[in-house]
Amino acid sequence: MSSNGSAADAKTDAKRGLRVGVVGAGVMGSNHARVLAGLPGVILVGIVDPLPEHRARATALVGCRAFAELGELFDEGVDAVTIAAPTHLHHEIALACITRNIHLLVEKPVASTVEEGRDIVNAAKSAGVTLMVGHVERFNPAVAAIKQAISGEDILSIGITRVGPFPPRMSNVGVVIDLAVHDIDLIRWFTESDIVEVQPQLSSAVAEREDIALLQFRTASGVLAHINTNWLTPFKARSVTVATRGKYVMGDLLTRQVTECFGFKPDGSYSMRHLPVGHDEPLRAELIAFLEAVRTGNVPAVSGDEGVASLEIAIRCLEQPAKPAASAARKGPRRVVG
């Protein structure tokens, strides 16, 4: 299906190769273009960004055409678009694509507000186009191994840590939208249940918006979960632990090591094993899943409704204003000496 065609043309277009564009030539958008350029059955039409330096970098990295305006990409004819532009532009760009019957993957969060997210979802459903939300962490091979390990288990609790240094790029969001929304999605995906209770603790130590968040949740199925996230840790850490009645699973999402404890005995002993973990690049796996949904018309791996649900929980966490850090004298993260 192209911007000049109809939804009925999707299968025919898939045979000739899907014509795909990328909107946003920042770091994430450039990576989208890089991966798409290397996928079989895909014609990377080009990448859109209003900034000349972004377009130049994307062209140098990928070798694709770059456009200053979205309309220029539409004029070339595209079947699908991935949107990696700033979040506040998602709504406008997504609706522009949907009105032209263009399938789309929208990077997380799906929109700036729940209302805008629902607008996108409803418009996509009415037009019959595929809408997927880019929660790429689901495609991390370590996350997939954890999901498989807990399948069919009676989950009791989930703990997720996602911390690191202050990002070099300035953003108009804090750690909840930038980082924790990944893990809100994982909690909902692991438990296959909605989050019904939210207990956030937020603080601003060095940023105007929250840079520390301790978030507690309860799902409709009774699972207790918590997320620890901040921009004050001098190194990146990404870990997940899941306790079930039959096992305890620990995963490091950076090293991609997943360990399972099982066979608990009354004397406190248990068995332990490392689980096999794949080596796929998460973004590549995500984009392949999106394009497969476009070709088949099947429900995408992360639906628009799921993206909106995770955004709604993240925004609920922000309803409690962030508090100043405990020590007003401390102006920044402690420096590690040694």
Short mmCIF file of all heavy atoms in Angstrom, two decimals, residues 113-167:
data_model
loop_
_atom_site.label_atom_id
_atom_site.label_comp_id
_atom_site.label_asym_id
_atom_site.label_seq_id
_atom_site.Cartn_x
_atom_site.Cartn_y
_atom_site.Cartn_z
N THR A 113 -0.03 12.97 25.31
CA THR A 113 -1.15 12.82 26.24
C THR A 113 -1.94 11.57 25.87
O THR A 113 -1.87 11.07 24.74
CB THR A 113 -2.09 14.03 26.18
OG1 THR A 113 -2.74 14.07 24.90
CG2 THR A 113 -1.33 15.33 26.41
N VAL A 114 -2.71 11.10 26.84
CA VAL A 114 -3.56 9.94 26.59
C VAL A 114 -4.60 10.26 25.51
O VAL A 114 -4.89 9.43 24.65
CB VAL A 114 -4.26 9.51 27.90
CG1 VAL A 114 -5.30 8.43 27.63
CG2 VAL A 114 -3.21 9.01 28.90
N GLU A 115 -5.13 11.48 25.54
CA GLU A 115 -6.14 11.87 24.55
C GLU A 115 -5.57 11.82 23.15
O GLU A 115 -6.21 11.32 22.22
CB GLU A 115 -6.67 13.28 24.87
CG GLU A 115 -7.50 13.37 26.15
CD GLU A 115 -6.68 13.28 27.42
OE1 GLU A 115 -5.44 13.49 27.36
OE2 GLU A 115 -7.25 12.97 28.48
N GLU A 116 -4.37 12.35 22.97
CA GLU A 116 -3.74 12.30 21.65
C GLU A 116 -3.45 10.86 21.24
O GLU A 116 -3.61 10.50 20.07
CB GLU A 116 -2.45 13.12 21.65
CG GLU A 116 -2.67 14.62 21.68
CD GLU A 116 -1.36 15.38 21.52
OE1 GLU A 116 -0.28 14.74 21.57
OE2 GLU A 116 -1.42 16.61 21.34
N GLY A 117 -3.03 10.04 22.20
CA GLY A 117 -2.79 8.63 21.89
C GLY A 117 -4.05 7.93 21.42
O GLY A 117 -4.02 7.16 20.45
N ARG A 118 -5.16 8.21 22.09
CA ARG A 118 -6.43 7.59 21.69
C ARG A 118 -6.88 8.08 20.32
O ARG A 118 -7.45 7.32 19.53
CB ARG A 118 -7.49 7.87 22.75
CG ARG A 118 -7.28 7.07 24.03
CD ARG A 118 -8.27 7.45 25.10
NE ARG A 118 -8.07 6.65 26.32
CZ ARG A 118 -8.44 7.03 27.53
NH1 ARG A 118 -9.05 8.20 27.69
NH2 ARG A 118 -8.22 6.25 28.57
N ASP A 119 -6.61 9.36 20.03
CA ASP A 119 -6.92 9.89 18.69
C ASP A 119 -6.20 9.07 17.62
O ASP A 119 -6.78 8.71 16.59
CB ASP A 119 -6.49 11.35 18.58
CG ASP A 119 -7.50 12.31 19.18
OD1 ASP A 119 -8.62 11.87 19.48
OD2 ASP A 119 -7.15 13.50 19.33
N ILE A 120 -4.93 8.81 17.85
CA ILE A 120 -4.13 8.06 16.88
C ILE A 120 -4.68 6.65 16.73
O ILE A 120 -4.85 6.15 15.61
CB ILE A 120 -2.65 8.02 17.32
CG1 ILE A 120 -2.05 9.43 17.30
CG2 ILE A 120 -1.84 7.08 16.42
CD1 ILE A 120 -0.66 9.52 17.92
N VAL A 121 -4.97 5.99 17.85
CA VAL A 121 -5.48 4.62 17.81
C VAL A 121 -6.81 4.56 17.07
O VAL A 121 -7.02 3.70 16.20
CB VAL A 121 -5.64 4.07 19.25
CG1 VAL A 121 -6.38 2.73 19.24
CG2 VAL A 121 -4.26 3.89 19.89
N ASN A 122 -7.72 5.46 17.41
CA ASN A 122 -9.04 5.44 16.77
C ASN A 122 -8.96 5.74 15.28
O ASN A 122 -9.67 5.12 14.47
CB ASN A 122 -9.97 6.44 17.47
CG ASN A 122 -10.32 6.03 18.89
OD1 ASN A 122 -10.28 4.84 19.23
ND2 ASN A 122 -10.64 6.99 19.73
N ALA A 123 -8.09 6.68 14.91
CA ALA A 123 -7.95 7.02 13.49
C ALA A 123 -7.39 5.83 12.72
O ALA A 123 -7.83 5.54 11.60
CB ALA A 123 -7.04 8.23 13.33
N ALA A 124 -6.42 5.13 13.30
CA ALA A 124 -5.82 3.97 12.63
C ALA A 124 -6.85 2.86 12.46
O ALA A 124 -6.92 2.21 11.40
CB ALA A 124 -4.62 3.47 13.42
N LYS A 125 -7.65 2.64 13.48
CA LYS A 125 -8.68 1.59 13.38
C LYS A 125 -9.71 1.95 12.31
O LYS A 125 -10.12 1.09 11.53
CB LYS A 125 -9.37 1.42 14.74
CG LYS A 125 -8.50 0.73 15.79
CD LYS A 125 -9.23 0.61 17.13
CE LYS A 125 -8.36 -0.11 18.17
NZ LYS A 125 -9.03 -0.17 19.49
N SER A 126 -10.12 3.21 12.27
CA SER A 126 -11.11 3.62 11.27
C SER A 126 -10.58 3.49 9.86
O SER A 126 -11.31 3.13 8.93
CB SER A 126 -11.53 5.07 11.54
OG SER A 126 -12.18 5.19 12.79
N ALA A 127 -9.29 3.77 9.68
CA ALA A 127 -8.68 3.70 8.35
C ALA A 127 -8.25 2.30 7.96
O ALA A 127 -7.95 2.04 6.80
CB ALA A 127 -7.49 4.64 8.28
N GLY A 128 -8.20 1.40 8.94
CA GLY A 128 -7.78 0.04 8.66
C GLY A 128 -6.29 -0.09 8.40
O GLY A 128 -5.86 -0.99 7.68
N VAL A 129 -5.49 0.80 9.01
CA VAL A 129 -4.04 0.71 8.84
C VAL A 129 -3.41 0.11 10.10
O VAL A 129 -3.96 0.18 11.19
CB VAL A 129 -3.41 2.09 8.53
CG1 VAL A 129 -4.07 2.73 7.32
CG2 VAL A 129 -3.48 3.01 9.74
N THR A 130 -2.24 -0.48 9.92
CA THR A 130 -1.51 -1.08 11.03
C THR A 130 -0.85 0.02 11.86
O THR A 130 -0.17 0.89 11.32
CB THR A 130 -0.43 -2.05 10.51
OG1 THR A 130 -1.07 -3.12 9.82
CG2 THR A 130 0.40 -2.60 11.65
N LEU A 131 -1.05 -0.05 13.17
CA LEU A 131 -0.39 0.87 14.10
C LEU A 131 0.33 0.04 15.15
O LEU A 131 -0.28 -0.77 15.85
CB LEU A 131 -1.42 1.78 14.78
CG LEU A 131 -0.91 2.57 16.00
CD1 LEU A 131 0.19 3.55 15.60
CD2 LEU A 131 -2.07 3.29 16.70
N MET A 132 1.63 0.23 15.26
CA MET A 132 2.43 -0.44 16.29
C MET A 132 3.18 0.61 17.07
O MET A 132 3.58 1.64 16.52
CB MET A 132 3.40 -1.43 15.65
CG MET A 132 4.29 -2.18 16.62
SD MET A 132 5.09 -3.61 15.82
CE MET A 132 6.52 -3.81 16.86
N VAL A 133 3.35 0.38 18.36
CA VAL A 133 4.08 1.31 19.22
C VAL A 133 5.46 0.72 19.51
O VAL A 133 5.59 -0.48 19.80
CB VAL A 133 3.31 1.59 20.52
CG1 VAL A 133 4.09 2.58 21.40
CG2 VAL A 133 1.93 2.16 20.20
N GLY A 134 6.48 1.56 19.45
CA GLY A 134 7.85 1.08 19.55
C GLY A 134 8.36 0.89 20.96
O GLY A 134 9.26 1.62 21.41
N HIS A 135 7.84 -0.09 21.67
CA HIS A 135 8.39 -0.48 22.96
C HIS A 135 9.45 -1.54 22.70
O HIS A 135 9.23 -2.75 22.86
CB HIS A 135 7.28 -1.00 23.88
CG HIS A 135 6.48 0.10 24.52
ND1 HIS A 135 6.97 0.86 25.57
CD2 HIS A 135 5.25 0.59 24.25
CE1 HIS A 135 6.06 1.76 25.92
NE2 HIS A 135 5.01 1.62 25.14
N VAL A 136 10.64 -1.08 22.34
CA VAL A 136 11.68 -1.96 21.82
C VAL A 136 12.20 -2.95 22.85
O VAL A 136 12.73 -4.01 22.50
CB VAL A 136 12.84 -1.11 21.24
CG1 VAL A 136 13.63 -0.43 22.35
CG2 VAL A 136 13.75 -1.95 20.36
N GLU A 137 12.04 -2.63 24.14
CA GLU A 137 12.57 -3.53 25.17
C GLU A 137 11.92 -4.90 25.13
O GLU A 137 12.54 -5.90 25.53
CB GLU A 137 12.40 -2.90 26.56
CG GLU A 137 13.30 -3.50 27.62
CD GLU A 137 14.78 -3.15 27.46
OE1 GLU A 137 15.46 -3.80 26.63
OE2 GLU A 137 15.25 -2.24 28.16
N ARG A 138 10.70 -4.99 24.64
CA ARG A 138 10.07 -6.31 24.50
C ARG A 138 10.87 -7.22 23.59
O ARG A 138 10.77 -8.45 23.69
CB ARG A 138 8.66 -6.17 23.92
CG ARG A 138 7.63 -5.64 24.86
CD ARG A 138 6.27 -6.08 24.36
NE ARG A 138 5.19 -5.28 24.92
CZ ARG A 138 3.90 -5.51 24.69
NH1 ARG A 138 3.56 -6.51 23.87
NH2 ARG A 138 2.96 -4.75 25.22
N PHE A 139 11.67 -6.63 22.69
CA PHE A 139 12.40 -7.41 21.71
C PHE A 139 13.84 -7.68 22.14
O PHE A 139 14.61 -8.27 21.39
CB PHE A 139 12.36 -6.70 20.36
CG PHE A 139 10.96 -6.56 19.82
CD1 PHE A 139 10.18 -5.46 20.16
CD2 PHE A 139 10.41 -7.54 19.02
CE1 PHE A 139 8.88 -5.34 19.69
CE2 PHE A 139 9.11 -7.42 18.54
CZ PHE A 139 8.35 -6.32 18.88
N ASN A 140 14.20 -7.23 23.34
CA ASN A 140 15.49 -7.59 23.92
C ASN A 140 15.50 -9.10 24.16
O ASN A 140 14.59 -9.63 24.81
CB ASN A 140 15.68 -6.84 25.24
CG ASN A 140 17.04 -7.06 25.87
OD1 ASN A 140 17.56 -8.17 25.89
ND2 ASN A 140 17.61 -5.99 26.40
N PRO A 141 16.47 -9.83 23.64
CA PRO A 141 16.46 -11.29 23.81
C PRO A 141 16.40 -11.73 25.27
O PRO A 141 15.82 -12.77 25.57
CB PRO A 141 17.78 -11.72 23.15
CG PRO A 141 18.06 -10.66 22.15
CD PRO A 141 17.58 -9.38 22.78
N ALA A 142 17.00 -10.95 26.18
CA ALA A 142 16.92 -11.31 27.60
C ALA A 142 15.49 -11.19 28.12
O ALA A 142 15.02 -12.03 28.90
CB ALA A 142 17.85 -10.41 28.42
N VAL A 143 14.78 -10.15 27.68
CA VAL A 143 13.38 -9.99 28.07
C VAL A 143 12.54 -11.14 27.53
O VAL A 143 11.68 -11.69 28.22
CB VAL A 143 12.84 -8.63 27.59
CG1 VAL A 143 11.33 -8.55 27.76
CG2 VAL A 143 13.51 -7.49 28.34
N ALA A 144 12.80 -11.52 26.28
CA ALA A 144 12.07 -12.64 25.68
C ALA A 144 12.32 -13.93 26.46
O ALA A 144 11.40 -14.74 26.65
CB ALA A 144 12.49 -12.81 24.22
N ALA A 145 13.57 -14.13 26.93
CA ALA A 145 13.89 -15.33 27.71
C ALA A 145 13.16 -15.32 29.05
O ALA A 145 12.68 -16.37 29.52
CB ALA A 145 15.40 -15.43 27.92
N ILE A 146 13.07 -14.14 29.67
CA ILE A 146 12.33 -14.03 30.94
C ILE A 146 10.86 -14.33 30.71
O ILE A 146 10.24 -15.08 31.48
CB ILE A 146 12.51 -12.63 31.54
CG1 ILE A 146 13.96 -12.40 31.95
CG2 ILE A 146 11.58 -12.43 32.74
CD1 ILE A 146 14.29 -10.96 32.30
N LYS A 147 10.30 -13.75 29.66
CA LYS A 147 8.88 -13.97 29.35
C LYS A 147 8.60 -15.46 29.15
O LYS A 147 7.59 -15.99 29.66
CB LYS A 147 8.52 -13.18 28.09
CG LYS A 147 7.12 -13.43 27.54
CD LYS A 147 6.04 -12.85 28.39
CE LYS A 147 4.70 -12.90 27.67
NZ LYS A 147 3.57 -12.43 28.50
N GLN A 148 9.48 -16.14 28.45
CA GLN A 148 9.29 -17.58 28.22
C GLN A 148 9.42 -18.36 29.52
O GLN A 148 8.66 -19.30 29.77
CB GLN A 148 10.30 -18.09 27.20
CG GLN A 148 10.14 -19.56 26.85
CD GLN A 148 11.09 -20.01 25.75
OE1 GLN A 148 11.90 -19.23 25.26
NE2 GLN A 148 10.98 -21.26 25.34
N ALA A 149 10.37 -17.96 30.38
CA ALA A 149 10.60 -18.68 31.63
C ALA A 149 9.43 -18.59 32.59
O ALA A 149 9.16 -19.53 33.36
CB ALA A 149 11.86 -18.15 32.31
N ILE A 150 8.69 -17.49 32.56
CA ILE A 150 7.58 -17.30 33.50
C ILE A 150 6.23 -17.65 32.87
O ILE A 150 5.19 -17.51 33.53
CB ILE A 150 7.55 -15.86 34.04
CG1 ILE A 150 7.30 -14.85 32.93
CG2 ILE A 150 8.85 -15.55 34.79
CD1 ILE A 150 7.17 -13.41 33.40
N SER A 151 6.24 -18.09 31.63
CA SER A 151 4.98 -18.45 30.97
C SER A 151 4.27 -19.56 31.73
O SER A 151 4.86 -20.59 32.06
CB SER A 151 5.27 -18.91 29.54
OG SER A 151 4.08 -19.32 28.90
N GLY A 152 3.01 -19.34 32.05
CA GLY A 152 2.23 -20.33 32.78
C GLY A 152 2.48 -20.35 34.27
O GLY A 152 1.84 -21.13 34.99
N GLU A 153 3.38 -19.52 34.76
CA GLU A 153 3.69 -19.47 36.19
C GLU A 153 2.73 -18.53 36.93
O GLU A 153 2.17 -17.61 36.33
CB GLU A 153 5.13 -18.99 36.41
CG GLU A 153 6.20 -19.96 35.93
CD GLU A 153 6.38 -21.13 36.88
OE1 GLU A 153 6.28 -20.93 38.11
OE2 GLU A 153 6.62 -22.25 36.39
N ASP A 154 2.57 -18.78 38.21
CA ASP A 154 1.80 -17.89 39.08
C ASP A 154 2.74 -16.80 39.58
O ASP A 154 3.49 -16.99 40.53
CB ASP A 154 1.21 -18.69 40.25
CG ASP A 154 0.30 -17.86 41.13
OD1 ASP A 154 0.03 -16.69 40.77
OD2 ASP A 154 -0.14 -18.38 42.18
N ILE A 155 2.71 -15.64 38.91
CA ILE A 155 3.65 -14.56 39.23
C ILE A 155 3.23 -13.88 40.53
O ILE A 155 2.06 -13.54 40.73
CB ILE A 155 3.70 -13.54 38.08
CG1 ILE A 155 4.13 -14.22 36.79
CG2 ILE A 155 4.65 -12.39 38.42
CD1 ILE A 155 4.05 -13.32 35.57
N LEU A 156 4.22 -13.65 41.41
CA LEU A 156 3.95 -12.99 42.68
C LEU A 156 4.44 -11.54 42.68
O LEU A 156 3.73 -10.64 43.12
CB LEU A 156 4.64 -13.75 43.82
CG LEU A 156 4.22 -15.23 43.98
CD1 LEU A 156 5.04 -15.88 45.07
CD2 LEU A 156 2.73 -15.32 44.28
N SER A 157 5.66 -11.32 42.20
CA SER A 157 6.20 -9.96 42.22
C SER A 157 7.21 -9.77 41.09
O SER A 157 7.80 -10.74 40.60
CB SER A 157 6.88 -9.66 43.57
OG SER A 157 8.06 -10.42 43.72
N ILE A 158 7.39 -8.50 40.71
CA ILE A 158 8.34 -8.12 39.67
C ILE A 158 9.11 -6.90 40.16
O ILE A 158 8.51 -5.95 40.68
CB ILE A 158 7.62 -7.77 38.35
CG1 ILE A 158 6.85 -8.99 37.82
CG2 ILE A 158 8.62 -7.27 37.30
CD1 ILE A 158 5.97 -8.67 36.61
N GLY A 159 10.42 -6.94 40.02
CA GLY A 159 11.25 -5.79 40.35
C GLY A 159 12.11 -5.41 39.16
O GLY A 159 12.75 -6.28 38.55
N ILE A 160 12.13 -4.13 38.80
CA ILE A 160 12.89 -3.68 37.64
C ILE A 160 13.73 -2.46 38.03
O ILE A 160 13.22 -1.52 38.64
CB ILE A 160 11.97 -3.31 36.46
CG1 ILE A 160 11.10 -4.50 36.06
CG2 ILE A 160 12.81 -2.84 35.26
CD1 ILE A 160 10.14 -4.23 34.92
N THR A 161 15.01 -2.50 37.68
CA THR A 161 15.92 -1.38 37.90
C THR A 161 16.40 -0.89 36.54
O THR A 161 16.87 -1.67 35.72
CB THR A 161 17.12 -1.79 38.75
OG1 THR A 161 16.67 -2.18 40.06
CG2 THR A 161 18.12 -0.65 38.87
N ARG A 162 16.26 0.41 36.31
CA ARG A 162 16.72 1.02 35.06
C ARG A 162 17.31 2.38 35.43
O ARG A 162 16.61 3.37 35.58
CB ARG A 162 15.56 1.18 34.07
CG ARG A 162 15.98 1.70 32.68
CD ARG A 162 14.78 1.82 31.76
NE ARG A 162 14.16 0.54 31.52
CZ ARG A 162 14.48 -0.29 30.53
NH1 ARG A 162 15.41 0.04 29.67
NH2 ARG A 162 13.85 -1.45 30.41
N VAL A 163 18.62 2.41 35.60
CA VAL A 163 19.29 3.62 36.07
C VAL A 163 20.48 3.94 35.19
O VAL A 163 20.95 3.10 34.42
CB VAL A 163 19.75 3.47 37.54
CG1 VAL A 163 18.56 3.25 38.46
CG2 VAL A 163 20.75 2.30 37.67
N GLY A 164 20.97 5.17 35.30
CA GLY A 164 22.13 5.58 34.53
C GLY A 164 22.45 7.04 34.76
O GLY A 164 21.80 7.72 35.56
N PRO A 165 23.48 7.54 34.06
CA PRO A 165 23.85 8.95 34.21
C PRO A 165 22.86 9.86 33.50
O PRO A 165 22.06 9.41 32.68
CB PRO A 165 25.24 9.01 33.55
CG PRO A 165 25.22 7.91 32.54
CD PRO A 165 24.37 6.81 33.14
N PHE A 166 22.96 11.15 33.81
CA PHE A 166 22.09 12.12 33.16
C PHE A 166 22.35 12.09 31.66
O PHE A 166 23.50 12.11 31.23
CB PHE A 166 22.35 13.52 33.72
CG PHE A 166 21.23 14.49 33.43
CD1 PHE A 166 20.14 14.57 34.26
CD2 PHE A 166 21.28 15.30 32.31
CE1 PHE A 166 19.09 15.46 34.00
CE2 PHE A 166 20.25 16.19 32.03
CZ PHE A 166 19.15 16.27 32.88
N PRO A 167 21.30 12.02 30.84
CA PRO A 167 21.50 11.89 29.39
C PRO A 167 22.13 13.14 28.80
O PRO A 167 21.80 14.26 29.20
CB PRO A 167 20.09 11.66 28.86
CG PRO A 167 19.19 12.27 29.88
CD PRO A 167 19.88 12.07 31.20
#
